[in-house]
Amino acid sequence: MREKTRQALPVFAIAIFVRGIAAVVTTLTTLNPDSTADAVGFGNTAETIARGLREGQPYLYTSGSVDLSQWLFPLGGVDIYTLWGTFLAPFWLLPGPSGFYARLGNAFLGAFAVYNVYLIARYYHSHHAGVVASLPMTIYPSIVAVQSTLLREALVLFGITTAARLLMIPSKRRSRFSWALAGLALHVSLLLRNDNVVIYAAAIVAALAVYAVQSGYISKRALGIGLSLSPVAFVGSLPVVRDGVKFLAYLREVRAGGRAVYLPEVIPRTILELVAFSWVGAAYFLYAPFPWMIATIPDLLVSIEGVINVAFTVAAVWGVRLLGRKNAHATIGLLVGLAAAVVLYGVGTVNYGTGMRHRQMFLWVIFLFGGIGISEHVRFVWPFEWGRDTFSTSETQTPSQSD
């Protein structure tokens, strides 16, 4: 494991260097559009909370507060500016350019997420796969631009990928500790994006169900009975599902504005309409802006990213098969979580600027599967050569519990 960690350090170093440079640019100029609007609001709130901290009352100058119950139960109503501002406030207690320090902190978290994805791909396939999977996350202009600002996306992505790494790369010496850390990472991620609770729950339940069947805790007969009862469960959950559809329709209506809006007239209001539109919404969410939507240079850059996303999605077909042979329950969990995410966010998103930021939470799954699939069929040379184990296919490398 030490060898794999050592090979990951250059990936981490490059990722943080790229984001660090972007953080400097964001601090000194106004070229980054993601450093405006919400990012400015978060910074102002953090500064206000820090001023209250110096006087012993952190929320003295704010209109809201965050109590213990809201930290423990992230599904309750809380002002996101106050919550994320609390996370950022310590940077404003330091002497010097506090906003720059906060941007560097976000850059570090984003680089660590890249490191997590590299380690998972490296563990289940090869160093080559790790580099391919982490490369888009390292250099995508949209990802770097967001993760070098004061937006919360970097911490959310860090929490999700850290939990996945801790659960997918086992260690006999720290298994219980890893589970606790994974739970904490997901909890923090959920604090900042409580909309993801359904996605996390679907992924975890699917992974646990497959693991229970594989381990013999649930017999195939019991599984068959459970599946036969699923229509009954679906009918029983219809009121909740209808409420969810109404909420997504409401989101599309309130977000249907701005230069980057698309399909604003399409508002799925029934379950059947949602199902029919889900694949269209998912495609726009993952790959927009399409060529006919390009109006600016940033649009062109993000559109090129979308084309690369399509290539990784195609390659992911092979990656799913290869990873599924080695860790079926994790593979199913990732797939179910990804499917839930692209359907819910695809239906609820109507602006590709917003979609570009939100899809960063889930694109890493496609990059992981795609990186493994690409590495199984295509071998690159530099910079995939550092370290001793430069290329090993799924036929020759098998992860070990004691690794």
Side-chain angles (χ1 to χ4, degrees), residues 186-210:
L186 274 184
H187 181 79
V188 172
S189 177
L190 196 58
L191 274 174
L192 299 175
R193 282 286 181 194
N194 56 22
D195 297 339
N196 291 344
V197 62
V198 175
I199 299 168
Y200 299 164
I204 292 171
V205 169
L208 289 177
V210 174

Side-chain angles (χ1 to χ4, degrees), residues 214-269:
Q214 287 185 321
S215 302
Y217 295 113
I218 298 178
S219 66
K220 293 183 178 180
R221 180 180 179 182
L223 178 64
I225 294 175
L227 291 176
S228 66
L229 294 176
S230 57
V232 178
F234 175 75
V235 172
S237 64
L238 277 178
V240 177
V241 174
R242 290 195 184 101
D243 289 341
V245 173
K246 291 179 181 178
F247 177 70
L248 292 175
Y250 167 76
L251 286 181
R252 285 190 69 84
E253 286 181 330
V254 298
R255 291 175 174 175
R259 184 187 65 82
V261 69
Y262 60 84
L263 304 180
E265 70 284 353
V266 182
I267 309 290
R269 301 185 184 278

Side-chain angles (χ1 to χ4, degrees), residues 51-67:
R51 181 153 57 104
L53 280 171
R54 293 191 185 95
E55 301 180 19
Q57 300 181 57
Y59 304 111
L60 179 62
Y61 301 103
T62 63
S63 58
S65 63
V66 182
D67 57 33

Side-chain angles (χ1 to χ4, degrees), residues 5-347:
T5 303
R6 187 163 56 249
Q7 288 179 335
L9 291 179
V11 174
F12 177 78
I14 294 171
I16 198 170
F17 175 78
V18 172
R19 284 158 174 76
I21 295 297
V24 172
V25 173
T26 299
T27 301
L28 300 178
T29 72
T30 58
L31 295 176
N32 186 350
D34 294 305
S35 64
T36 61
D38 283 347
V40 174
F42 289 137
N44 292 339
T45 304
E47 185 177 11
T48 301
I49 293 173
R51 181 153 57 104
L53 280 171
R54 293 191 185 95
E55 301 180 19
Q57 300 181 57
Y59 304 111
L60 179 62
Y61 301 103
T62 63
S63 58
S65 63
V66 182
D67 57 33
L68 180 61
S69 64
Q70 292 169 328
W71 289 103
L72 295 177
F73 304 102
L75 300 184
V78 60
D79 177 53
I80 190 59
Y81 280 93
T82 304
L83 180 62
W84 180 228
T86 303
F87 277 91
L88 294 175
F91 291 106
W92 268 262
L93 297 176
L94 302 174
S98 301
F100 177 63
Y101 299 153
R103 290 180 178 90
L104 283 184
N106 262 351
F108 178 85
L109 293 173
F112 209 97
V114 176
Y115 171 85
N116 288 333
V117 173
Y118 169 88
L119 284 182
I120 297 173
R122 171 67 180 85
Y123 182 80
Y124 283 99
H125 192 274
S126 62
H127 161 73
H128 187 275
V131 175
V132 174
S134 60
L135 188 60
M137 298 177 66
T138 303
I139 65 173
Y140 267 18
S142 64
I143 294 179
V144 173
V146 168
Q147 294 181 358
S148 57
T149 67
L150 300 182
L151 297 175
R152 53 192 152 140
E153 270 69 23
L155 181 53
V156 175
L157 181 62
F158 166 79
I160 297 172
T161 56
T162 297
R165 176 174 66 86
L166 290 170
L167 297 176
M168 292 181 66
I169 303 180
S171 173
K172 292 181 178 179
R173 291 172 294 181
R174 54 180 177 86
S175 57
R176 293 182 180 177
F177 187 57
S178 295
W179 276 84
L181 284 179
L184 178 62
L186 274 184
H187 181 79
V188 172
S189 177
L190 196 58
L191 274 174
L192 299 175
R193 282 286 181 194
N194 56 22
D195 297 339
N196 291 344
V197 62
V198 175
I199 299 168
Y200 299 164
I204 292 171
V205 169
L208 289 177
V210 174
Y211 178 78
V213 172
Q214 287 185 321
S215 302
Y217 295 113
I218 298 178
S219 66
K220 293 183 178 180
R221 180 180 179 182
L223 178 64
I225 294 175
L227 291 176
S228 66
L229 294 176
S230 57
V232 178
F234 175 75
V235 172
S237 64
L238 277 178
V240 177
V241 174
R242 290 195 184 101
D243 289 341
V245 173
K246 291 179 181 178
F247 177 70
L248 292 175
Y250 167 76
L251 286 181
R252 285 190 69 84
E253 286 181 330
V254 298
R255 291 175 174 175
R259 184 187 65 82
V261 69
Y262 60 84
L263 304 180
E265 70 284 353
V266 182
I267 309 290
R269 301 185 184 278
T270 67
I271 296 175
L272 290 180
E273 289 178 353
L274 183 144
V275 172
F277 179 73
S278 61
W279 68 274
V280 177
Y284 273 86
F285 176 68
L286 290 174
Y287 311 121
F290 296 115
W292 60 87
M293 304 165 70
I294 297 174
T296 65
I297 296 299
D299 289 348
L300 177 61
L301 294 176
V302 180
S303 180
I304 294 173
E305 294 177 4
V307 174
I308 299 174
N309 293 345
V310 172
F312 268 87
T313 303
V314 173
V317 175
W318 289 279
V320 168
R321 179 173 59 88
L322 295 169
L323 185 56
R325 293 175 181 173
K326 299 177 180 180
N327 194 333
H329 58 278
T331 301
I332 295 300
L334 290 176
L335 286 175
V336 170
L338 177 64
V342 297
V343 169
L344 295 178
Y345 276 92
V347 173

